[in-house]
Amino acid sequence: MLTRIDHVGIACADLAASIEFYRRTYGFEVAHEEVNEEQGVREAMLRVNGTDDGGATYLQLLEPTRDDSPVAKFLARHGEGVHHIAFGTADVAGAAAGIGGAGVRVLDSAPRRGSMDSRIVFLHPKDCGGVLTELVQAADQGRHHGEG
Amino acid sequence: MLTRIDHVGIACADLAASIEFYRRTYGFEVAHEEVNEEQGVREAMLRVNGTDDGGATYLQLLEPTRDDSPVAKFLARHGEGVHHIAFGTADVAGAAAGIGGAGVRVLDSAPRRGSMDSRIVFLHPKDCGGVLTELVQAADQGRHHGEG
């Protein structure tokens, strides 16, 4: 059902500086940048590798755009670091229903828009061993499966 | 140079309970278990997907075996959650030298033994935007490249 690690989300105070760190230190390049006003983040996706389900794994660098956003609150409490991990699936609504039925709180009643027009839900970290966990269906997976 | 996200390391208080959570909730199965006395951890590798460099991406569940281990200290400070991320490379010594030369502190003067007979080094999280970062060369990559 979950077929890849889609991305690791990393909270940072200065997106441009973080992009430059990952480029200079490891050679990772920005595949995509966007602002998600709903989530209050400016973000960059750095593609690390392709995956055997036809997708890819990214680092997602997240800078808050406002002080009341979840990432701003995370930075204030924890400082910079890993914010969440995301598993890829071809059917985010089905995966969320199955996982919710197994007793894990799904934080979104319906999938919402994530990076690169993906559809995402978040799971409650207290039900996931302290790990804020996201499920993500890539935009092109929606088309392949007739759900996009 | 770094060709995949090799694994995400997750600190947990009870390895058996965490394995059962990931199996029951997501269907991930244990590919490998071991105790690393040097690092003071009992660990399980759950394979999530294959990667286009011929490797794979895992979740690595880490339970401390003693109170003075780094993972025990992490749990005492932060509770359960993401402990580190690891990037895969075919040449961990060369990658560490290059990254160290770029001004990031490498915490191991020479690669040491990681999960599944891999060779690993850790980078200082303060030099990596708050992310404890590991570089890992899989055992079979050593053989392919004549370094194992």
Side-chain angles (χ1 to χ4, degrees), chain B residues 75-92:
Chain B
L75 284 173
R77 257 196 311 263
H78 303 284
E80 294 187 314
V82 175
H83 179 259
H84 69 273
I85 63 175
F87 297 112
T89 173
D91 176 11
V92 69

Side-chain angles (χ1 to χ4, degrees), chain A residues 16-27:
Chain A
S18 283
I19 289 171
E20 175 57 15
F21 168 78
Y22 279 98
R23 191 197 61 72
R24 184 185 68 239
T25 311
Y26 307 124

